[in-house]
Amino acid sequence: MSDPARPERIDFSGFEAALRRRAAAQAQAARTPTVPTAIASRSRLTEVELTWIEKKLEHWLRFGRVARERIITRRTRVMSFRPGAIFAFVRWTANDYGTITSRIDVARAVAPGEPYTTLPFVRPGGDILLHIESWPKVSQVLAAIDAVEAAGVDPCDAAPDHWRHVNNRIAAGHQPRPYTMERHRAWLKRREIEG
């Protein structure tokens, strides 16, 4: 006797088509980049993509207060910064014959709706306080960062004007003036007054 609630033959063609669509969607998702370029537009955070391929491509942070870290692969991470955070981003590339490029940028993370300058591997971009290229000049900037730390100040807390000063002095071929605790206190008072 045949039970209408239990048919003898079940049609699975719709189920198989759904499985094929799902497999195709997963394959497409695997082919697309893990970090979409528009991700920062949906987020209030500024994202910096760091890549490390030993002796070939090295992107790293010299300083900065990271709000969130996301590991994409063994060689790629995405660091996120809150609006107003200052960070230093170093990019170095080499081939079989030596260094191709070396750059350092000190940037301030921007809030949504605030104007910004685009910067490679930084989404959406930032307020660029310092941009230096070529290893001899990059090493001068790294020495200036070390000097700020030696003065007892976290480079993230140093006055943004100091990084602009370092950029302009090194670009002109001069030595930047040191960042002292007195200058830092003056910056803190100015920030307090300006609100």
Side-chain angles (χ1 to χ4, degrees):
M1 185 178 243
S2 175
D3 182 4
R6 300 183 87 188
E8 292 179 19
R9 186 169 188 284
I10 299 173
D11 183 17
F12 286 106
S13 61
F15 181 72
E16 290 171 352
L19 283 176
R20 281 195 297 276
R21 282 193 304 273
R22 184 174 175 200
Q26 287 175 341
Q28 177 64 27
R31 286 191 297 271
T32 57
T34 309
V35 182
T37 55
I39 197 164
S41 64
R42 291 181 273 141
S43 172
R44 297 182 61 82
L45 302 176
T46 297
E47 297 185 331
V48 181
E49 185 178 327
L50 305 178
T51 306
W52 187 274
I53 302 171
E54 191 73 33
K55 298 181 182 177
K56 292 289 179 194
L57 176 72
E58 299 175 2
H59 296 172
W60 48 279
L61 294 173
R62 174 56 182 85
F63 66 81
R65 287 197 183 94
V66 177
R68 186 173 67 203
E69 177 180 359
R70 199 172 61 212
I71 298 173
I72 306 301
T73 66
R74 275 184 53 219
R75 297 178 173 175
T76 308
R77 294 180 297 157
V78 174
M79 310 299 249
S80 300
F81 296 92
R82 289 186 179 86
I86 295 177
F87 59 91
F89 179 42
V90 182
R91 292 177 287 154
W92 178 84
T93 310
N95 62 14
D96 294 339
Y97 301 103
T99 299
I100 299 172
T101 58
S102 57
R103 299 174 182 166
I104 186 168
D105 294 284
V106 175
R108 184 182 60 80
V110 295
E114 193 176 349
Y116 60 86
T117 305
T118 58
L119 188 62
F121 307 102
V122 178
R123 290 178 293 272
D127 178 16
I128 299 175
L129 308 174
L130 176 145
H131 174 81
I132 296 289
E133 298 184 21
S134 87
W135 183 249
K137 292 181 179 181
V138 168
S139 63
Q140 284 183 294
V141 174
L142 295 173
I145 294 169
D146 291 341
V148 169
E149 290 174 336
V153 178
D154 187 337
C156 305
D157 297 328
D161 291 340
H162 175 69
W163 301 119
R164 290 184 183 103
H165 162 78
V166 170
N167 181 76
N168 294 336
R169 296 287 289 189
I170 290 175
H174 298 288
Q175 199 65 19
R177 288 188 291 275
Y179 191 75
T180 62
M181 193 52 95
E182 290 78 26
R183 288 184 71 192
H184 185 64
R185 281 194 213 101
W187 152 245
L188 293 176
K189 288 190 183 291
R190 185 178 115 199
R191 188 172 66 178
E192 184 180 308
I193 291 168
E194 291 176 350

